[in-house]
PDB file of all heavy atoms in Angstrom:
ATOM      1  N   ILE A   1     -20.537   3.658  69.739  1.00  0.00           N
ATOM      2  CA  ILE A   1     -20.329   2.217  69.823  1.00  0.00           C
ATOM      3  C   ILE A   1     -19.071   1.831  69.074  1.00  0.00           C
ATOM      4  O   ILE A   1     -18.871   2.257  67.929  1.00  0.00           O
ATOM      5  CB  ILE A   1     -21.538   1.473  69.218  1.00  0.00           C
ATOM      6  CG1 ILE A   1     -22.803   1.800  70.015  1.00  0.00           C
ATOM      7  CG2 ILE A   1     -21.299  -0.025  69.176  1.00  0.00           C
ATOM      8  CD1 ILE A   1     -24.072   1.311  69.350  1.00  0.00           C
ATOM      9  N   PRO A   2     -18.216   0.973  69.649  1.00  0.00           N
ATOM     10  CA  PRO A   2     -17.042   0.497  68.897  1.00  0.00           C
ATOM     11  C   PRO A   2     -17.501  -0.232  67.647  1.00  0.00           C
ATOM     12  O   PRO A   2     -18.502  -0.960  67.676  1.00  0.00           O
ATOM     13  CB  PRO A   2     -16.358  -0.464  69.870  1.00  0.00           C
ATOM     14  CG  PRO A   2     -16.899  -0.144  71.206  1.00  0.00           C
ATOM     15  CD  PRO A   2     -18.249   0.448  71.004  1.00  0.00           C
ATOM     16  N   ASP A   3     -16.743  -0.066  66.539  1.00  0.00           N
ATOM     17  CA  ASP A   3     -17.098  -0.708  65.292  1.00  0.00           C
ATOM     18  C   ASP A   3     -17.083  -2.226  65.351  1.00  0.00           C
ATOM     19  O   ASP A   3     -17.824  -2.905  64.662  1.00  0.00           O
ATOM     20  CB  ASP A   3     -16.131  -0.277  64.154  1.00  0.00           C
ATOM     21  CG  ASP A   3     -16.337   1.171  63.781  1.00  0.00           C
ATOM     22  OD1 ASP A   3     -17.392   1.748  64.106  1.00  0.00           O
ATOM     23  OD2 ASP A   3     -15.449   1.709  63.105  1.00  0.00           O
ATOM     24  N   SER A   4     -16.170  -2.775  66.166  1.00  0.00           N
ATOM     25  CA  SER A   4     -16.061  -4.218  66.229  1.00  0.00           C
ATOM     26  C   SER A   4     -15.327  -4.600  67.528  1.00  0.00           C
ATOM     27  O   SER A   4     -14.754  -3.753  68.218  1.00  0.00           O
ATOM     28  CB  SER A   4     -15.305  -4.766  65.032  1.00  0.00           C
ATOM     29  OG  SER A   4     -14.016  -4.211  64.985  1.00  0.00           O
ATOM     30  N   GLU A   5     -15.362  -5.890  67.802  1.00  0.00           N
ATOM     31  CA  GLU A   5     -14.658  -6.420  68.975  1.00  0.00           C
ATOM     32  C   GLU A   5     -14.348  -7.884  68.728  1.00  0.00           C
ATOM     33  O   GLU A   5     -15.001  -8.568  67.941  1.00  0.00           O
ATOM     34  CB  GLU A   5     -15.463  -6.236  70.239  1.00  0.00           C
ATOM     35  CG  GLU A   5     -16.714  -7.051  70.310  1.00  0.00           C
ATOM     36  CD  GLU A   5     -17.592  -6.716  71.523  1.00  0.00           C
ATOM     37  OE1 GLU A   5     -17.065  -6.468  72.594  1.00  0.00           O
ATOM     38  OE2 GLU A   5     -18.829  -6.766  71.348  1.00  0.00           O
ATOM     39  N   ILE A   6     -13.341  -8.348  69.410  1.00  0.00           N
ATOM     40  CA  ILE A   6     -13.008  -9.768  69.446  1.00  0.00           C
ATOM     41  C   ILE A   6     -13.180 -10.190  70.913  1.00  0.00           C
ATOM     42  O   ILE A   6     -12.612  -9.610  71.811  1.00  0.00           O
ATOM     43  CB  ILE A   6     -11.568 -10.031  68.979  1.00  0.00           C
ATOM     44  CG1 ILE A   6     -11.443  -9.612  67.509  1.00  0.00           C
ATOM     45  CG2 ILE A   6     -11.192 -11.503  69.180  1.00  0.00           C
ATOM     46  CD1 ILE A   6     -10.039  -9.691  66.968  1.00  0.00           C
ATOM     47  N   ILE A   7     -13.984 -11.227  71.097  1.00  0.00           N
ATOM     48  CA  ILE A   7     -14.281 -11.711  72.464  1.00  0.00           C
ATOM     49  C   ILE A   7     -13.686 -13.094  72.613  1.00  0.00           C
ATOM     50  O   ILE A   7     -13.937 -13.985  71.798  1.00  0.00           O
ATOM     51  CB  ILE A   7     -15.814 -11.744  72.697  1.00  0.00           C
ATOM     52  CG1 ILE A   7     -16.389 -10.352  72.483  1.00  0.00           C
ATOM     53  CG2 ILE A   7     -16.116 -12.295  74.085  1.00  0.00           C
ATOM     54  CD1 ILE A   7     -17.904 -10.322  72.403  1.00  0.00           C
ATOM     55  N   LEU A   8     -12.865 -13.252  73.627  1.00  0.00           N
ATOM     56  CA  LEU A   8     -12.269 -14.551  73.964  1.00  0.00           C
ATOM     57  C   LEU A   8     -13.003 -15.119  75.154  1.00  0.00           C
ATOM     58  O   LEU A   8     -12.996 -14.552  76.254  1.00  0.00           O
ATOM     59  CB  LEU A   8     -10.785 -14.397  74.283  1.00  0.00           C
ATOM     60  CG  LEU A   8      -9.937 -13.693  73.242  1.00  0.00           C
ATOM     61  CD1 LEU A   8      -8.528 -13.430  73.761  1.00  0.00           C
ATOM     62  CD2 LEU A   8      -9.899 -14.499  71.968  1.00  0.00           C
ATOM     63  N   SER A   9     -13.708 -16.248  74.955  1.00  0.00           N
ATOM     64  CA  SER A   9     -14.491 -16.823  76.039  1.00  0.00           C
ATOM     65  C   SER A   9     -13.614 -17.716  76.915  1.00  0.00           C
ATOM     66  O   SER A   9     -12.505 -18.139  76.529  1.00  0.00           O
ATOM     67  CB  SER A   9     -15.658 -17.630  75.486  1.00  0.00           C
ATOM     68  OG  SER A   9     -15.190 -18.796  74.859  1.00  0.00           O
ATOM     69  N   ASN A  10     -14.098 -18.003  78.113  1.00  0.00           N
ATOM     70  CA  ASN A  10     -13.365 -18.879  79.044  1.00  0.00           C
ATOM     71  C   ASN A  10     -13.164 -20.282  78.489  1.00  0.00           C
ATOM     72  O   ASN A  10     -12.233 -20.977  78.894  1.00  0.00           O
ATOM     73  CB  ASN A  10     -14.101 -18.942  80.382  1.00  0.00           C
ATOM     74  CG  ASN A  10     -14.037 -17.630  81.133  1.00  0.00           C
ATOM     75  OD1 ASN A  10     -13.132 -16.825  80.889  1.00  0.00           O
ATOM     76  ND2 ASN A  10     -14.990 -17.389  81.991  1.00  0.00           N
ATOM     77  N   ASP A  11     -14.061 -20.737  77.573  1.00  0.00           N
ATOM     78  CA  ASP A  11     -13.937 -22.084  77.038  1.00  0.00           C
ATOM     79  C   ASP A  11     -13.146 -22.107  75.717  1.00  0.00           C
ATOM     80  O   ASP A  11     -13.123 -23.141  75.019  1.00  0.00           O
ATOM     81  CB  ASP A  11     -15.290 -22.744  76.887  1.00  0.00           C
ATOM     82  CG  ASP A  11     -16.246 -21.952  75.995  1.00  0.00           C
ATOM     83  OD1 ASP A  11     -15.850 -20.920  75.441  1.00  0.00           O
ATOM     84  OD2 ASP A  11     -17.387 -22.388  75.843  1.00  0.00           O
ATOM     85  N   GLY A  12     -12.491 -21.010  75.377  1.00  0.00           N
ATOM     86  CA  GLY A  12     -11.592 -20.998  74.230  1.00  0.00           C
ATOM     87  C   GLY A  12     -12.209 -20.519  72.908  1.00  0.00           C
ATOM     88  O   GLY A  12     -11.503 -20.442  71.923  1.00  0.00           O
ATOM     89  N   TRP A  13     -13.483 -20.173  72.886  1.00  0.00           N
ATOM     90  CA  TRP A  13     -14.099 -19.710  71.668  1.00  0.00           C
ATOM     91  C   TRP A  13     -13.723 -18.261  71.401  1.00  0.00           C
ATOM     92  O   TRP A  13     -13.630 -17.446  72.311  1.00  0.00           O
ATOM     93  CB  TRP A  13     -15.640 -19.801  71.752  1.00  0.00           C
ATOM     94  CG  TRP A  13     -16.100 -21.221  71.595  1.00  0.00           C
ATOM     95  CD1 TRP A  13     -16.411 -22.106  72.588  1.00  0.00           C
ATOM     96  CD2 TRP A  13     -16.321 -21.930  70.388  1.00  0.00           C
ATOM     97  NE1 TRP A  13     -16.795 -23.301  72.072  1.00  0.00           N
ATOM     98  CE2 TRP A  13     -16.718 -23.228  70.713  1.00  0.00           C
ATOM     99  CE3 TRP A  13     -16.160 -21.598  69.036  1.00  0.00           C
ATOM    100  CZ2 TRP A  13     -17.023 -24.201  69.746  1.00  0.00           C
ATOM    101  CZ3 TRP A  13     -16.457 -22.554  68.066  1.00  0.00           C
ATOM    102  CH2 TRP A  13     -16.877 -23.829  68.442  1.00  0.00           C
ATOM    103  N   ILE A  14     -13.536 -17.952  70.130  1.00  0.00           N
ATOM    104  CA  ILE A  14     -13.261 -16.579  69.707  1.00  0.00           C
ATOM    105  C   ILE A  14     -14.461 -16.098  68.899  1.00  0.00           C
ATOM    106  O   ILE A  14     -14.884 -16.745  67.951  1.00  0.00           O
ATOM    107  CB  ILE A  14     -11.964 -16.500  68.847  1.00  0.00           C
ATOM    108  CG1 ILE A  14     -10.778 -16.957  69.653  1.00  0.00           C
ATOM    109  CG2 ILE A  14     -11.788 -15.065  68.333  1.00  0.00           C
ATOM    110  CD1 ILE A  14      -9.518 -17.106  68.820  1.00  0.00           C
ATOM    111  N   THR A  15     -15.014 -14.930  69.290  1.00  0.00           N
ATOM    112  CA  THR A  15     -16.129 -14.354  68.587  1.00  0.00           C
ATOM    113  C   THR A  15     -15.747 -12.987  68.041  1.00  0.00           C
ATOM    114  O   THR A  15     -15.240 -12.150  68.782  1.00  0.00           O
ATOM    115  CB  THR A  15     -17.347 -14.176  69.523  1.00  0.00           C
ATOM    116  OG1 THR A  15     -17.703 -15.446  70.061  1.00  0.00           O
ATOM    117  CG2 THR A  15     -18.541 -13.591  68.809  1.00  0.00           C
ATOM    118  N   ARG A  16     -15.934 -12.811  66.725  1.00  0.00           N
ATOM    119  CA  ARG A  16     -15.789 -11.494  66.092  1.00  0.00           C
ATOM    120  C   ARG A  16     -17.201 -10.937  65.954  1.00  0.00           C
ATOM    121  O   ARG A  16     -18.083 -11.579  65.402  1.00  0.00           O
ATOM    122  CB  ARG A  16     -15.200 -11.569  64.702  1.00  0.00           C
ATOM    123  CG  ARG A  16     -13.763 -11.920  64.659  1.00  0.00           C
ATOM    124  CD  ARG A  16     -13.259 -11.855  63.241  1.00  0.00           C
ATOM    125  NE  ARG A  16     -14.233 -12.385  62.269  1.00  0.00           N
ATOM    126  CZ  ARG A  16     -14.060 -12.386  60.954  1.00  0.00           C
ATOM    127  NH1 ARG A  16     -12.970 -11.874  60.452  1.00  0.00           N
ATOM    128  NH2 ARG A  16     -14.950 -12.900  60.160  1.00  0.00           N
ATOM    129  N   THR A  17     -17.413  -9.723  66.410  1.00  0.00           N
ATOM    130  CA  THR A  17     -18.744  -9.155  66.309  1.00  0.00           C
ATOM    131  C   THR A  17     -18.647  -7.636  66.148  1.00  0.00           C
ATOM    132  O   THR A  17     -17.606  -7.054  66.412  1.00  0.00           O
ATOM    133  CB  THR A  17     -19.630  -9.549  67.500  1.00  0.00           C
ATOM    134  OG1 THR A  17     -20.949  -9.069  67.292  1.00  0.00           O
ATOM    135  CG2 THR A  17     -19.098  -8.993  68.815  1.00  0.00           C
ATOM    136  N   GLY A  18     -19.715  -7.034  65.743  1.00  0.00           N
ATOM    137  CA  GLY A  18     -19.775  -5.595  65.569  1.00  0.00           C
ATOM    138  C   GLY A  18     -20.188  -5.226  64.167  1.00  0.00           C
ATOM    139  O   GLY A  18     -20.445  -6.102  63.337  1.00  0.00           O
ATOM    140  N   SER A  19     -20.253  -3.935  63.917  1.00  0.00           N
ATOM    141  CA  SER A  19     -20.794  -3.446  62.661  1.00  0.00           C
ATOM    142  C   SER A  19     -19.784  -3.416  61.507  1.00  0.00           C
ATOM    143  O   SER A  19     -20.175  -3.263  60.369  1.00  0.00           O
ATOM    144  CB  SER A  19     -21.356  -2.025  62.867  1.00  0.00           C
ATOM    145  OG  SER A  19     -20.336  -1.168  63.343  1.00  0.00           O
ATOM    146  N   SER A  20     -18.493  -3.568  61.812  1.00  0.00           N
ATOM    147  CA  SER A  20     -17.526  -3.509  60.725  1.00  0.00           C
ATOM    148  C   SER A  20     -16.811  -4.818  60.487  1.00  0.00           C
ATOM    149  O   SER A  20     -15.802  -4.848  59.822  1.00  0.00           O
ATOM    150  CB  SER A  20     -16.493  -2.408  60.994  1.00  0.00           C
ATOM    151  OG  SER A  20     -15.694  -2.744  62.100  1.00  0.00           O
ATOM    152  N   ILE A  21     -17.336  -5.936  60.997  1.00  0.00           N
ATOM    153  CA  ILE A  21     -16.613  -7.186  60.854  1.00  0.00           C
ATOM    154  C   ILE A  21     -16.514  -7.646  59.423  1.00  0.00           C
ATOM    155  O   ILE A  21     -15.599  -8.357  59.062  1.00  0.00           O
ATOM    156  CB  ILE A  21     -17.244  -8.317  61.711  1.00  0.00           C
ATOM    157  CG1 ILE A  21     -18.662  -8.592  61.266  1.00  0.00           C
ATOM    158  CG2 ILE A  21     -17.179  -7.977  63.176  1.00  0.00           C
ATOM    159  CD1 ILE A  21     -19.234  -9.873  61.867  1.00  0.00           C
ATOM    160  N   PHE A  22     -17.408  -7.216  58.545  1.00  0.00           N
ATOM    161  CA  PHE A  22     -17.371  -7.665  57.179  1.00  0.00           C
ATOM    162  C   PHE A  22     -16.243  -6.993  56.404  1.00  0.00           C
ATOM    163  O   PHE A  22     -15.937  -7.356  55.277  1.00  0.00           O
ATOM    164  CB  PHE A  22     -18.716  -7.427  56.472  1.00  0.00           C
ATOM    165  CG  PHE A  22     -19.185  -6.005  56.562  1.00  0.00           C
ATOM    166  CD1 PHE A  22     -18.835  -5.101  55.600  1.00  0.00           C
ATOM    167  CD2 PHE A  22     -20.019  -5.616  57.590  1.00  0.00           C
ATOM    168  CE1 PHE A  22     -19.277  -3.791  55.679  1.00  0.00           C
ATOM    169  CE2 PHE A  22     -20.468  -4.337  57.671  1.00  0.00           C
ATOM    170  CZ  PHE A  22     -20.097  -3.402  56.720  1.00  0.00           C
ATOM    171  N   ASN A  23     -15.578  -5.991  56.984  1.00  0.00           N
ATOM    172  CA  ASN A  23     -14.453  -5.354  56.320  1.00  0.00           C
ATOM    173  C   ASN A  23     -13.118  -6.046  56.633  1.00  0.00           C
ATOM    174  O   ASN A  23     -12.090  -5.652  56.154  1.00  0.00           O
ATOM    175  CB  ASN A  23     -14.353  -3.885  56.761  1.00  0.00           C
ATOM    176  CG  ASN A  23     -15.478  -3.068  56.209  1.00  0.00           C
ATOM    177  OD1 ASN A  23     -15.974  -3.315  55.134  1.00  0.00           O
ATOM    178  ND2 ASN A  23     -15.936  -2.091  56.999  1.00  0.00           N
ATOM    179  N   TRP A  24     -13.116  -7.085  57.466  1.00  0.00           N
ATOM    180  CA  TRP A  24     -11.892  -7.741  57.860  1.00  0.00           C
ATOM    181  C   TRP A  24     -11.395  -8.641  56.790  1.00  0.00           C
ATOM    182  O   TRP A  24     -12.042  -9.230  56.021  1.00  0.00           O
ATOM    183  CB  TRP A  24     -12.087  -8.514  59.151  1.00  0.00           C
ATOM    184  CG  TRP A  24     -12.344  -7.657  60.334  1.00  0.00           C
ATOM    185  CD1 TRP A  24     -12.583  -6.316  60.357  1.00  0.00           C
ATOM    186  CD2 TRP A  24     -12.424  -8.065  61.674  1.00  0.00           C
ATOM    187  NE1 TRP A  24     -12.782  -5.891  61.617  1.00  0.00           N
ATOM    188  CE2 TRP A  24     -12.684  -6.939  62.465  1.00  0.00           C
ATOM    189  CE3 TRP A  24     -12.275  -9.263  62.341  1.00  0.00           C
ATOM    190  CZ2 TRP A  24     -12.840  -6.978  63.823  1.00  0.00           C
ATOM    191  CZ3 TRP A  24     -12.417  -9.306  63.686  1.00  0.00           C
ATOM    192  CH2 TRP A  24     -12.697  -8.178  64.433  1.00  0.00           C
TER     193      TRP A  24
END
């Protein structure tokens, strides 16, 4: 599984998710 990802939604929202997001 990728450690993290950034998801850009069609309505402009940005979501950071995954198991290593707290290291950012």
Side-chain angles (χ1 to χ4, degrees):
I1 298 169
D3 290 344
S4 60
E5 67 187 324
I6 296 173
I7 301 167
L8 306 173
S9 70
N10 291 336
D11 58 3
W13 285 97
I14 299 172
T15 302
R16 288 185 321 177
T17 186
S19 59
S20 68
I21 63 168
F22 54 90
N23 291 327
W24 292 10

